Amino acid sequence: MNRVWMALLPELRQFPPVWQNKVLERARESQLEPREKIAIVVWLVIVTFSAKAILIEGSMADDVSATLVINLLLVAPLLALVFVPIHIRRLRRGLRKQLEGRENP
């Protein structure tokens, strides 16, 4: 199992190594909570309008390369700033549910 996942998902250590891939797959099937969905939508709208405003203010709205640079350097990191923690939270929730059931994968 990848060390990054082990550091981000301490609950994963409570499963035997042979089960870890399977329980992680199951955890990925966990549903987002309504407030997580709302946070994603709100953040997506904020980032989209911010990027659009930057491009319009800089008179770069028609420049494809400027749009690409803004998306790579600004939009992607800003989206990851919220989406990654929500994804990790969802995985941890899925792992905790499996620990409560403590069943074989």
Side-chain angles (χ1 to χ4, degrees):
M1 184 60 48
N2 188 334
R3 289 183 190 211
V4 174
W5 282 126
M6 298 304 272
L8 293 174
L9 306 169
E11 295 86 355
L12 196 55
R13 293 185 191 129
Q14 296 179 34
F15 292 96
V18 296
W19 292 2
Q20 289 175 354
N21 285 332
K22 188 67 174 171
V23 295
L24 192 54
E25 283 179 31
R26 279 190 185 167
R28 286 185 180 113
E29 296 170 1
S30 299
Q31 298 295 314
L32 289 169
E33 292 179 351
R35 64 181 175 189
E36 292 169 333
K37 290 178 184 178
I38 291 168
I40 288 172
V41 170
V42 168
W43 190 244
L44 185 59
V45 169
I46 290 169
V47 170
T48 301
F49 282 111
S50 298
K52 183 178 177 181
I54 290 170
L55 288 168
I56 290 172
E57 284 292 318
S59 300
M60 300 177 285
D62 294 329
D63 186 358
V64 175
S65 60
T67 303
L68 181 62
V69 169
I70 292 294
N71 283 331
L72 289 174
L73 297 179
L74 179 69
V75 174
L78 285 176
L79 291 177
L81 185 69
V82 170
F83 294 177
V84 170
I86 288 174
H87 178 64
I88 291 169
R89 184 173 188 257
R90 180 177 62 103
L91 290 176
R92 291 185 73 183
R93 186 173 52 249
L95 290 172
R96 283 192 299 271
K97 283 183 183 178
Q98 290 180 67
L99 282 170
E100 289 170 5
R102 202 53 152 176
E103 57 190 49
N104 296 348

